[in-house]
Amino acid sequence: MTLDLTPEQDQLRDAVRALGRRYGHGYFVEKARAGEHTTELWAEAGRLGYLGVNIPTEYGGGGGGITELAIVCEELAAAGCPLLLLVVSTAIAATVLNRHGTEEQRKKHLPGLADGSQKIVFAITEPEAGSNFHRLGTVARRDGDGWLLNGRKCYISGVDEAGHVLVVARTEDSSTGKLKPALFLVPTDAAGLTRSKLDMEIVSPENQFLLYLDDVRVPADALLGESLDAGLPALFAGLNPERITVAAMGAGTGRYAIERASEYTATRKVWGGRSIGSHQGVSHPLAHAAVQVELARLMIQKAATLYDAGRDLEAGVAGNMAKYAAGEAAALAVDTAVQVLGGAGMTTEYGVATLLGAVRAGRIAPVSREMILNFVAQHVLGQDKSY
Ligand SMILES: Cc1cc2nc3c(=O)[nH]c(=O)nc-3n(C[C@H](O)[C@H](O)[C@H](O)COP(=O)(O)OP(=O)(O)OC[C@H]3O[C@@H](n4cnc5c(N)ncnc54)[C@H](O)[C@@H]3O)c2cc1C
């Protein structure tokens, strides 16, 4: 692993940073408050090739890896625009399709994901199963040459912006015993698929939904991959990209908050001529948060490098650790930024308290800090599973 980015990655970082700053956190919050989406930013990022950086060139992408996508996620977040759908649609759906979809599915969906004209969201979480995916209750039953899906999903992000939902179900004959998942590309306008928007305490233009699948009929080619055997590897294929890019978003958000706060504390004077940042009670918490964010960034780089080198198992450990570290660091950075800004920290104008909900959610989703600690305890420390 090298600490230096390649010249191309450096250029990508600078270019995405410039794009993000042109829009900025004000734009992100304005869209959220108006109940609108970041359509312009998404379209421009797609036109410039940033949404497809990790998609192979033959499907209209940039041919890069998760390292490149993590750069895009981090820099947009560092500009105050943390876009969760980059994780859901670009990191998860595009990777799963590319690695386990049929050639037809790749040709049909990847070019649209790359240019930003299409989004595919991802639905695994269920009200009853929660973190225990072995309890998934959404069932796919054969129906003629197609499938009939029934079940419930919750907290599904971006359904209102997407053309398809990648639904994780289990087939009827596997409803007892170990989870044998099957993934289905379900059009968001499919008959029998309904949704209701959840009210979330997160300032974001991206929304979460409850999804109801009542006898949703899909054709045979909606099943992801060549056969039912593609399900489990496809599900796992999405995990590392998800953890690495969501960590990058967290690190970017942490950088954004620390930058906002440092600018403020370096110039704010309430005790004579000295800035409040000269008081270590103010500067040390900020410096501590900066250290945590930087450590998380290092782990993200390690995880992305391992993933792009095809070392999936090691990337799994590093990706989980990166996600944990970045989730904690982002929450610490935003909370510290709010504190050192004083009353200004709670205003919309200074643009940090608006991120409190998002960074808090980042310690729960897409995988909670506790489930990561379980993973590390079992797979790194060799401890028995308690559940
Ligand atoms: C903003 C947001 C966006 C989301 N987007 C999506 C999406 O697009 N698609 C999707 O499928 N899902 C999405 N989710 C769902 C998310 O992945 C889940 O909320 C998360 O996996 C936790 O599941 P749960 O909420 O059911 O918590 P539960 O499983 O009910 O857990 C509750 C608490 O108990 C802890 N816990 C549970 N089991 C254990 C254990 N064995 N050991 C220790 N602690 C444990 C958890 O860590 C958590 O703190 C989103 C959630 C949020 C908040």
Side-chain angles (χ1 to χ4, degrees):
M1 177 173 126
T2 160
L3 288 177
D4 295 320
L5 296 178
T6 64
E8 292 76 22
Q9 289 168 344
D10 254 333
Q11 275 171 15
L12 176 68
R13 183 178 288 283
D14 291 346
V16 177
R17 179 178 301 162
L19 173 71
R21 289 191 176 210
R22 208 146 35 75
Y23 284 88
H25 191 60
Y27 163 83
F28 186 84
V29 171
E30 210 176 285
K31 289 285 172 184
R33 302 269 197 233
E36 294 171 5
H37 302 306
T38 54
T39 315
E40 307 79 8
L41 173 56
W42 192 271
E44 198 167 346
R47 244 189 340 270
L48 294 167
Y50 306 153
L51 301 179
V53 281
N54 60 321
I55 292 174
T57 49
E58 62 263 43
Y59 305 110
I66 286 301
T67 303
E68 281 75 14
L69 186 57
I71 288 172
V72 175
C73 292
E74 182 182 336
E75 288 309 321
L76 287 180
C81 300
L83 297 181
L84 186 56
L85 290 194
L86 279 171
V87 175
V88 174
S89 186
T90 318
I92 304 177
T95 302
V96 166
L97 268 161
N98 186 40
R99 285 179 72 162
H100 296 282
T102 63
E103 180 56 18
E104 292 243 305
Q105 288 168 340
R106 280 193 283 270
K107 279 194 190 136
K108 180 175 172 191
H109 296 290
L110 289 178
L113 294 181
D115 68 20
S117 59
Q118 205 198 133
K119 292 176 191 136
I120 300 179
V121 293
F122 183 67
I124 182 166
T125 309
E126 296 184 0
E128 300 303 320
S131 302
N132 183 1
F133 299 130
H134 294 278
R135 284 189 62 197
L136 286 188
T138 297
V139 170
R141 203 170 68 234
R142 284 201 192 271
D143 180 49
D145 59 353
W147 295 89
L148 214 50
L149 303 183
N150 280 285
R152 300 277 177 274
K153 298 284 177 184
C154 55
Y155 308 120
I156 309 307
S157 302
V159 188
D160 53 341
E161 301 184 55
H164 288 78
V165 194
L166 192 54
V167 172
V168 183
R170 57 163 80 234
T171 48
E172 198 178 28
D173 53 4
S174 72
S175 53
T176 52
K178 289 211 159 201
L179 175 67
K180 186 174 181 199
L183 276 61
F184 294 89
L185 283 153
V186 181
T188 45
D189 61 0
L193 180 70
T194 51
R195 61 178 187 244
S196 68
K197 184 172 166 296
L198 286 162
D199 291 328
M200 305 289 282
E201 296 297 333
I202 300 174
V203 180
S204 171
E206 298 165 319
N207 301 308
Q208 279 70 46
F209 293 86
L210 280 167
L211 278 190
Y212 308 90
L213 296 105
D214 295 303
D215 284 339
V216 176
R217 193 177 191 288
V218 289
D221 64 5
L223 175 73
L224 185 107
E226 300 288 352
S227 75
L228 282 173
D229 290 337
L232 195 61
L235 188 55
F236 277 107
L239 295 183
N240 284 339
E242 172 202 80
R243 281 148 175 63
I244 296 167
T245 53
V246 87
M249 238 176 75
T253 304
R255 277 174 51 204
Y256 165 85
I258 291 167
E259 193 182 320
R260 290 279 77 71
S262 309
E263 282 166 8
Y264 185 83
T265 57
T267 51
R268 168 92 171 147
K269 293 179 178 142
V270 292
W271 305 102
R274 297 166 77 97
S275 66
I276 54 168
S278 70
H279 301 289
Q280 288 154 350
V282 171
S283 64
H284 279 192
L286 268 183
H288 174 64
V291 171
Q292 301 307 310
V293 170
E294 201 54 30
L295 288 172
R297 293 183 72 225
L298 200 54
M299 201 56 170
I300 292 163
Q301 201 178 349
K302 176 176 173 179
T305 304
L306 287 168
Y307 180 83
D308 287 335
R311 293 161 64 177
D312 283 356
L313 286 178
E314 293 160 277
V317 173
N320 272 293
M321 288 184 173
K323 196 273 161 187
Y324 179 93
E328 299 302 306
L332 176 72
V334 171
D335 187 62
T336 305
V338 170
Q339 188 67 23
V340 300
L341 265 96
M346 292 308 294
T347 64
T348 306
E349 182 190 347
Y350 281 86
V352 285
T354 38
L355 289 163
L356 283 169
V359 293
R360 195 63 193 77
R363 297 171 81 209
I364 298 166
V367 55
S368 70
R369 59 196 295 282
E370 292 77 22
M371 293 312 288
I372 293 181
L373 293 176
N374 284 335
F375 175 89
V376 172
Q378 286 150 34
H379 297 283
V380 181
L381 308 180
Q383 302 303 299
D384 286 338
K385 198 171 168 179
S386 71
Y387 53 97

